[in-house]
Structures are given as structure tokens and as C-alpha cells.
Amino acid sequence: MLKINTRFCFLFILIVVFSYSHPTKQRLTFDEFFDATAFSTLSLSPTNEHLFFGTRRASWNTSSFESALWIYEIQKQTTKLITRNHHKTIQPKWSPNGLWIALLLDQTSANATHSDLHGQSTSTHSQTQQCIHLYSIESNELLSVELGDALPLEFTWSDTDLSLYVAATNKPLPSTDDEWKDVIEYRKSKSYEHSSIIQVDIISPKESLSVQTTVVSNLSFFISELIFAPTEQKLFVISASLLMEDLNLFEIYSIDLRNTSSPPVRLTHNEDFESNLKLSPDCQHLLFQTNTINSNNRKLNNTQISLSALNLLDGQVTRLAQDFHGNINNYMPTSDGIIYILGQLGTEIHLYSLKSLSSDVIEHVGWNGSYEMLTVTDQHSMAMVYSSTDTPQEIYFINDIDQLQNAQPITSENQLFTERDLPRALPYRWQNKDDHRTIEGMLHYPPGKYLSKNLPLLVLIHGGPYAASINHFSPNWYTWSALAASEGWLVLEPNYRGSTGYGDAFLQELRYRPLQIAGQDILHGVDQLIRDGIADPHRLTVGGYSYGGFLTNWLITQTKQFNAALSGAGSFDHTSSWGTMDIPTLLTHLFGGYPWETPHIYQSQSPIYQVDRIRTPTLITTGEADIRVPASQSYIMERALYYRGVPVKLFVFPREGHELSDNPWHGKIKAREEIKWLKQYGHQSFL
């Protein structure tokens, strides 16, 4: 008996010691989830001595987001703050010799607004005087360059540290016409989409900043990007429009600085969205990413985001990395001709490279997960943002690509999440039994219940539709699978037909059946989880935002198996959506034509005509100023369900566009109420 007690005591002591030496991590709380830091920009200096990076996090006391810009000194491993108010969309840029960083500060106000390129109504300027700012690496000063009332759209440096070019526009003045007073003619009100190119020459860069500004070109379109080509003495620009209904308004042009009186030369004649414009090292090609969406004017297949090169000698455009069958999220060329690529295949984003414009893609072995930002110097030093479902986002730095698996973080912005018991996730695959297509998604288990059975399920559907749920950790109101899993839900994020990372054909199959085929993909995934014993068939819920809202609205007309639904910024009547949204081209493509050309598709895919089938209690959320999926769609849905006697609530967030980026409380309240809705209705059937 004494031996048994002694052994028992010894074992008890071991357990206690082990427990204290390996403390159990705490569960992630709701408030902690929304205190994450996101990275907004990242760039190494030409000298390879510094790195600037941007952070964005909630400022709860001011009901706003803090957008900070930092400078990191690589040798000393020290970080200094530049500003807590840098522009949220226009990226800072290094001067050619790395002595300056040009940047814009956020000068927004609630008094004057225009529609931006991100699906929301945004402020234009709080002051008459607009400025571009120059941060000096040597003096640590932030100096301003006045641009008058010209609103900056984008900028680029010339080939010296003493000159840069700014694309700007002027907001139209209120009408003083005695005949029309304040009446607006719709098409005419859009005619102010024009730009000017302003050359800014720095006369005295040290003692007191003195500059000279000259307008070098006036253009009849907005500019979304511009770069300078020193050997050609040209500017290359991408035109844009705030209303995406004519794809011919999104093209690449050249402006000859040696003859600014001549009109810009159009270099592309397609219907693609070009972006991320860069010059090849030999200055003979323009590199850019291409997002293809068909209009009714041509019969070409849409593709994932690809990488293209435009030959400046003969004007030919070539698609690069044709052997890569995924989505190209970003790229960086180096002076020796190598192009580094961040490419998404399935649920992973990894690092690849091209040795030349005509070579095959080479994969560089790193970690599973997602490399979501990249900057590379000519010496091949690189910094990137990396995360996975169990590793929070941080910036990593390496001196050589061969060190990729040994990269070390240089930030600790999200250290708290490494101290929490995060949900574990894995890719999950199933077949659509109707056409035998293999579908994949991310499956997130509640903490402590990895690979458990009979769990309550939330199907959380990504937007886009040309996007994907991936192996990353980016906590916010939109990608909140980790929060839902921490609240006890098994979360399936399906990459339905139309998702990126699975080849162009997988993307194209969404057309003509944009809700039906994607919805079937999702329902087959739910059925498979039930057959595998993973999901409890009596505790099923569904939700999504943007196109995820489209699909949520559709799914609850097709089945009564979901106990609760979360509909965020989803279309309910696709014909009226086409008539009021800022990207009607997307619906024209998805539905195979205009509403009067394919009315049977618009009607058969619209939930408004099948409301009598809905029994699922539904929580609806929308931004008041959303022009991507106007709030009117949510009002229509709420009224329809209310009249049908289906439990429904609608929350409208003031001043918010599609991205809910004005006030962090709005996204937090959205998630709070959605979790409450799941708890209230998700565990009981309303059949």
C-alpha cells in the first residue's frame, strides 16, 4: 500500500511540475480578436539599409483606424515612427537614391465626398490646400509640398531625388447656374473624371524645402497608377473610372515628356483591368497584372489574375508564367532580370520566381501558409508578410532567397495571438456529385476539438466571387473564422466554383449559373461533412459578405437545413443591383448579358422571386454608403422576410461603404450581433 501511495504522489508531482512548465494557453477573447494589427504597405530602400512599413489598427477611443507608417533600420534593427496618419490607399514611395520617402497623409473630412475605387463614398479634402509629403531619412523630418487645390491620385519619382510627378484631379465646384440651381444631370455629373500630371522639382532640399511645380499634361481620364521610364523619358499611366461600366476606360497609356503637347498614346486595347505597373530591368517591357472580365463585346474567357509584359518596341502583350495555374497576387522584378512572384495555388500562397520573361516558374520552398506582401532589392534581400491559421501576421526579413525557411520576424505587432489557444484548421475536399468537380475549402475546428465529430457548423462564404479562403491568419470582421471557431463553431470556408487558385477553367464555370453552381458546390460540402460525421446535421448555419452574401441569400431559398443565416451586403434582386451598383460589368459578365438580354438568368438566380421558400432566421448587415452592393438590396430583403413572418433583423452602419472601413466599432458590432444570432437560432431547427 505504501509503494502505491509513493508512486501516486510521485506521478502527481510530475503532473503538477509539467503543468506549470507547460501552461495551458488561454482562449482567444472577442475583444482581443479585434485588437489585431494589419500591415498595409512594405518596401525596402534602394540602398538596402531601411524598410518602411505601414500598420493599420483600431483606435477605439476615436472611433477610427490608425494608419501608421514606420521606418526600420536593418543594421541596427530599430524602428521609428514617421506618422500615424498616412493615406490608406495611395502607397508611399522611395526616391531613387533612398534619401526620401514621398507619401500622402489622410486629409479626409466628412464635408466633401466622392466615390472612390473601393466601393464606398469617401471624403475628398478637408482643406483647400492639398499636399504631398517628403520624409527625410537623414534628418528624420516630414516636409510638405503644397499642390494647391489639386487632389493627388498617385505619384512617382523621376530618376533623381530632386523631381517627382504627381497625378491629380480637381473636385468640381458647386453649380452657380441660375437656370439649374443645384440640380444634377447624372451622366454630366460624371464628366469631371480628368487628371493633370504635375512635375514637382525640389530646388532646395536641405535648409528649407523649396519646390517648383509645373503642369506637364492634362488628361481626359482619371489615373490610377503611373511610373517613370528614364531611358524613354516617358510616363506610363493606367486610366481608370469611378464607375466600372465601360472596360475601355481601363487601359495603359504613355506620355512623352519631351513633347508634352502631343496627346497620350494608348498602348492596350483590351477589356482587362491592368494594375501594379512596373518597368522591366532592361526598360524594354512594361510589366503589369491583368484581371480579365468579359463584357458582351467579345468572346474571350475570363482568367485569374495573371502577369503580363508589354513590349515597348512592337506593342505586343505576352502572358508570363503560363505554366503556373494559380492566381498571381503580387510580383517584384530585380535588376538582374529575375521576377519574384507571390502565387496562390489552392489554399496556399507561396513564393515563386521567373529567371526571365520566357522561363518557367520556379517554386521556392518556404512554410505552409500565405506570403501576402513582398519587397525585394537588387541585392535579393527581401521582406514579406507571412501568416498561417495558427501563426499571426508579422513581417519577416531575409538576405537571400535560400534563407526562406529560416526567416525571422522583425515585428511583433501580433505577439498576443501566439499566446492564445487558436483554432486548428486544415484543407477539406469533397466532390460536387452532379458533375464530379473536386471542391476545396478551409475547415476550422474549435480549440481543443481538433478532428472531433458531431460539431455545430457555420459555413462562412468568401466574397469576390473571384477570391479564395486561404491558409492565413488575418483577424477582422470579414475573415472571422478564427473568432467563430473560438466561440465553439466548426467553420467551413468553401472555395466554390469561381474561386481563384484552381485554374482558369474553374473560374469560368461560374458564368451563366453564378449562384446555382456555386451554391451546389457548397451544399455538397455540407453533405460530405455530415456523412463524415464531422458536422451535426441539426446544427447547421450559413453566412457571408458581398458575394458571400449573394450566395447566403440564394442558399436559404434552396434548402431549409440551415437554422440561421448571416447576410452581409448581398444582392437580393440582381436586376436592380445591376442598375445601381458601381460595377455593373461584373453582373453583366456573370449573368451572360444585360438584364434584357438574359432575363431568365437574372430572374431564376434572384432570391426575391423565391422568398416563399425561405424559413431561415436571417441577420442582415450593410453599409449605408455602399455603392458596390447598395444598401437598398438589404432593405428589400428585410421587408420581404418581415412580410413573410421569418425572423429577421437589419443593421445599417452609418457612413460606411462596402469595406466598413470608417469606424472599427461597426465591424466589431457586426460580428458581435452575428455571434448572438448564431447562439439564438443556430442550435434549433425552424423547419
Side-chain angles (χ1 to χ4, degrees), residues 352-558:
Y352 303 83
S353 67
L354 295 171
K355 288 187 176 181
S356 68
L357 298 184
S358 59
S359 68
D360 291 339
V361 167
I362 300 170
E363 181 176 4
H364 299 279
V365 179
W367 303 312
N368 286 336
S370 296
Y371 297 88
E372 297 182 72
M373 290 181 120
L374 178 69
T375 176
V376 185
T377 67
D378 289 339
Q379 298 80 24
H380 293 267
S381 296
M382 58 180 64
M384 70 284 290
V385 173
Y386 167 81
S387 73
S388 65
T389 54
D390 57 3
T391 304
Q393 279 192 345
E394 298 293 356
I395 297 175
Y396 292 75
F397 176 81
I398 54 176
N399 285 308
D400 187 85
I401 187 65
D402 294 332
Q403 301 174 354
L404 189 58
Q405 288 184 308
N406 300 314
Q408 296 296 317
I410 61 173
T411 59
S412 56
E413 295 289 331
N414 294 305
Q415 176 68 29
L416 172 70
F417 293 94
T418 66
E419 301 166 2
R420 293 295 179 262
D421 186 13
L422 299 179
R424 295 181 64 184
L426 77 168
Y428 183 76
R429 298 177 182 87
W430 64 94
Q431 270 198 346
N432 181 322
K433 300 296 184 182
D434 298 327
D435 59 9
H436 306 292
R437 258 293 196 181
T438 297
I439 311 299
E440 184 179 48
M442 291 298 298
L443 190 62
H444 303 258
Y445 285 85
K449 295 186 178 180
Y450 186 62
L451 301 182
S452 294
K453 301 289 187 177
N454 204 41
L455 297 170
L457 174 68
L458 168 63
V459 181
L460 191 59
I461 310 171
H462 70 73
Y466 305 127
S469 293
I470 56 175
N471 179 9
H472 74 154
F473 187 80
S474 180
N476 56 61
W477 63 266
Y478 177 70
T479 53
W480 60 288
S481 53
L483 177 61
S486 294
E487 293 289 332
W489 294 89
L490 174 75
V491 182
L492 174 66
E493 296 179 299
N495 286 334
Y496 50 85
R497 225 78 60 98
S499 300
T500 58
Y502 300 92
D504 293 344
F506 191 85
L507 204 77
Q508 296 157 10
E509 290 170 12
L510 190 67
R511 200 178 189 197
Y512 304 111
R513 296 180 294 167
L515 285 306
Q516 181 182 355
I517 194 167
Q520 289 170 350
D521 288 344
I522 294 167
L523 291 178
H524 282 291
V526 174
D527 291 343
Q528 187 63 53
L529 284 170
I530 294 171
R531 283 194 296 270
D532 290 343
I534 301 173
D536 182 346
H538 303 294
R539 294 184 292 169
L540 305 177
T541 63
V542 65
Y545 191 85
S546 192
Y547 204 79
F550 280 51
L551 283 165
T552 297
N553 298 346
W554 167 258
L555 286 169
I556 60 177
T557 70
Q558 302 301 299

Side-chain angles (χ1 to χ4, degrees), residues 256-318:
D256 192 342
L257 295 173
R258 294 165 297 192
N259 184 15
T260 56
S261 60
S262 61
V265 177
R266 182 171 169 176
L267 301 179
T268 55
H269 296 78
N270 51 40
E271 294 186 337
D272 300 334
F273 292 109
E274 296 90 0
S275 63
N276 204 3
L277 192 63
K278 301 182 191 297
L279 198 62
S280 67
D282 60 8
C283 297
Q284 294 183 7
H285 293 84
L286 279 179
L287 307 177
F288 54 94
Q289 289 171 261
T290 300
N291 190 3
T292 303
I293 298 179
N294 295 349
S295 74
N296 279 6
N297 297 327
R298 65 176 190 176
K299 294 182 179 180
L300 293 178
N301 289 324
N302 61 313
T303 66
Q304 301 169 100
I305 297 177
S306 59
L307 180 61
S308 297
L310 187 152
N311 189 313
L312 295 175
L313 299 178
D314 60 18
Q316 295 298 308
V317 176
T318 304

Side-chain angles (χ1 to χ4, degrees), residues 113-116 118-123 625-627 655-658:
T113 65
H114 73 87
S115 301
D116 73 1
H118 300 275
Q120 63 188 65
S121 181
T122 61
S123 303
D626 193 344
I627 59 173
R655 301 175 304 281
E656 292 287 7
H658 197 61

